[in-house]
């Protein structure tokens, strides 16, 4: 199982970016998908998460600006980021809790990270 993230880049304050993360491999079911971010010298923090059949959950710092969505048919999670500011600069990691095919318990997987830089 692999998670492949894409969509990072550099944008000016007030701009927008859309991140994507696709899970591939032998997957039986996906319980949750999420985005975390880690700024230099700081810990990795949850940005947003979405579970199957549940409501999205957001960090207070991104509420009203970021939207997480999921395409179950494609095993893909998206993060639409609007009104970006320099404090959003970080490496963004996608995360999935899923059951690999042939297994009975869930496991957590991480994507490789994608850099988001907000700068004028």
């Amino acid at each position: 199982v692999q998670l492949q993230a894409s969509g990072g880049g550099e944008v000016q304050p007030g701009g927008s970016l859309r991140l994507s993360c696709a899970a591939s491999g032998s997957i039986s079911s996906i319980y949750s998908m999420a985005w975390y971010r880690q700024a230099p010298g700081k810990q990795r923090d949850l940005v947003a998460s979405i579970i199957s059949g549940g409501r999205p959950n957001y960090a207070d710092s991104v509420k009203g600006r970021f939207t997480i969505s999921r395409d179950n048919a494609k095993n893909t999670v998206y993060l639409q980021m609007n009104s970006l500011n320099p404090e959003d600069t970080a490496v963004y990691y996608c995360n999935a809790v899923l059951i690999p095919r042939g297994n009975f318990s869930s496991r957590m997987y991480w994507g490789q990270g994608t850099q988001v830089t907000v700068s004028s």
Side-chain angles (χ1 to χ4, degrees):
V1 174
Q2 289 186 327
L3 300 184
Q4 182 67 45
S6 61
E10 186 167 353
V11 65
Q12 292 186 340
S16 299
L17 283 174
R18 188 190 194 213
L19 305 182
S20 300
C21 177
S24 63
S26 187
I27 299 170
S28 177
S29 63
I30 299 177
Y31 172 70
S32 67
M33 300 188 83
W35 290 96
Y36 287 72
R37 67 185 180 187
Q38 187 168 18
K42 295 187 177 181
Q43 65 181 20
R44 188 175 298 186
D45 292 324
L46 176 68
V47 176
S49 64
I50 185 167
I51 64 173
S52 297
R55 298 177 65 179
N57 176 58
Y58 297 96
D60 288 342
S61 59
V62 306
K63 283 181 180 177
R65 301 188 297 122
F66 291 11
T67 302
I68 189 170
S69 60
R70 183 173 155 181
D71 185 333
N72 292 327
K74 296 181 179 180
N75 287 340
T76 299
V77 63
Y78 305 95
L79 186 68
Q80 178 66 45
M81 304 185 294
N82 299 328
S83 301
L84 285 161
N85 59 61
E87 289 70 37
D88 296 315
T89 295
V91 178
Y92 284 69
Y93 296 90
C94 63
N95 166 289
V97 176
L98 58 87
I99 300 178
R101 200 175 301 277
N103 285 261
F104 297 98
S105 59
S106 61
R107 298 182 183 180
M108 180 178 290
Y109 293 85
W110 291 93
Q112 82 281 13
T114 184
Q115 177 69 45
V116 171
T117 302
V118 185
S119 173
S120 56

